[in-house]
Amino acid sequence: MTDDLNRGLEGVLVAESELSFIDGDEGRLVYRGYTIEDLAEGASYEEVVYLLWHGELPTASELEEFSAAMAAERSLNDDLLRTVESLADADEDPMAALRTVVSQLSADDDEAVFDADAVTDREANIRKATRLTAKIPTAIAAFTRLRNGDDPVEPREDLSHAANFLYMLNDDEPDEVLAEVFDQALVLHADHGLNASTFSASVTASTLSDLYSAVTSAVGTLAGSLHGGANKNVMRMLIEVDESGMDPTEWVKEALDEGRRVAGFGHRVYNVKDPRAKILGEQSESLAEAAGNMKWYDCSVAIEEYMQAEKGLAPNVDFYSASTYYQMGIPIDIYTAIFAMSRVAGWTAHVLEQYEDNRLIRPRARYIGPRDLTFVPVDER
């Protein structure tokens, strides 16, 4: 045992994984041997989910069967829809609502067990992961529509995972370009090493708690502004810059002088530009050009150039996902829920891996409090 202190477990190796590899100095992200650039360009989200869960890309027939199985699990039962409606009526935060929904999903799953032997059943867990991955988008779309006074839209099994979500959100089948851009965003967010939410899922699973508990832990962790919640802050910042009427670089300079944090920059792992930010930046530019409105993209580029030149900080995935989603008409406060909608693939893949070679995750803290105090009875204090 070492007495070295690593705050935030920075740089501490706690597990071995075959799922994703990050080279922070070179700006590389790899899922099971495939670069994120190749997967974003050539693979659908469904293919990436299959890759993470099964260790290899599916054949055409395997993909068809897998996609159909996931599409068949999209619908929510009446009890769950009533819960979603009550959360929408209460104007609950979308991530808090999602946390509740994920927890309740276990009540409707006959395979959601806590028996120490059954909880690690790989095939059963893949079926549970399929249900979670399929139903989370339906819950997010239904919640968003209900709070706006609209009826939920029943999912369709003939649409892709990405296209179906946009259809349920807007009650309108998306065009091919929007569906492709959104699918690519889901691919980019599907996994990212042992990040905070994935680690929290692994910690929960290491106790031999069930998959639903692990994903509930992950959702709660992702909600924080230093993790998944950062993408909302980026778009709110861009809107503030626009409404100020100031030049973006002058706004950033003033914000930094005031001690404010510029959202979407810096990363615990990457020392260079996040490779996912490069791809999403290109998508943001394409959407802007198609809409004939470069405002959000140009503002983002100006801020990126200033932060890189003056502070040596490069953007992370949140920086360009914000303007990409905004240009697609997606409400700002569900950005993090969409992150969860994608990352559930990685969370469940890591939980499957944890169960395969499990050891209870139990770090220690260095005690720095008082010692050798003398106890005084309450009537003498």
Side-chain angles (χ1 to χ4, degrees), residues 5 31 39 43 61 63 88 90 111 121 140-141 164 182 192 203 217 225 227 240 244 251 262 293 297 299 362-363 381:
L5 182 65
Y31 295 170
L39 291 172
S61 61
L63 178 60
E111 293 188 288
D121 184 325
I140 296 169
N164 178 66
F182 190 63
H192 201 246
V203 170
S217 296
S225 62
H227 193 7
E240 185 178 343
S244 74
W251 185 94
V262 178
N293 181 1
Y297 176 74
C299 180
R362 193 353 184 140
R381 294 177 207 156

Side-chain angles (χ1 to χ4, degrees), residues 222-235 263-264 316 318 322 336:
L222 186 72
S225 62
L226 293 182
H227 193 7
N231 54 14
K232 297 183 296 185
N233 295 335
V234 171
M235 196 62 229
N316 55 45
D318 299 308
T336 309

Side-chain angles (χ1 to χ4, degrees), residues 1 9 21 38 42 66 155 194 196 224 228-229 263 278 299 301 354 374 381:
M1 181 183 296
L9 297 182
F21 166 72
D38 285 348
F66 179 75
L194 211 56
K278 292 180 182 178
C299 180
V301 170
Q354 179 70 36
T374 301
R381 294 177 207 156

Side-chain angles (χ1 to χ4, degrees), residues 200-219:
S200 70
S202 297
V203 170
T204 301
S206 80
T207 70
L208 294 185
S209 189
D210 76 313
L211 186 71
Y212 286 98
S213 297
V215 173
T216 302
S217 296
V219 171

Side-chain angles (χ1 to χ4, degrees), residues 132-148:
L132 276 164
T133 306
K135 293 180 189 299
I136 282 176
T138 309
I140 296 169
F143 172 84
T144 305
R145 291 184 62 80
L146 284 164
R147 69 177 181 175
N148 294 334

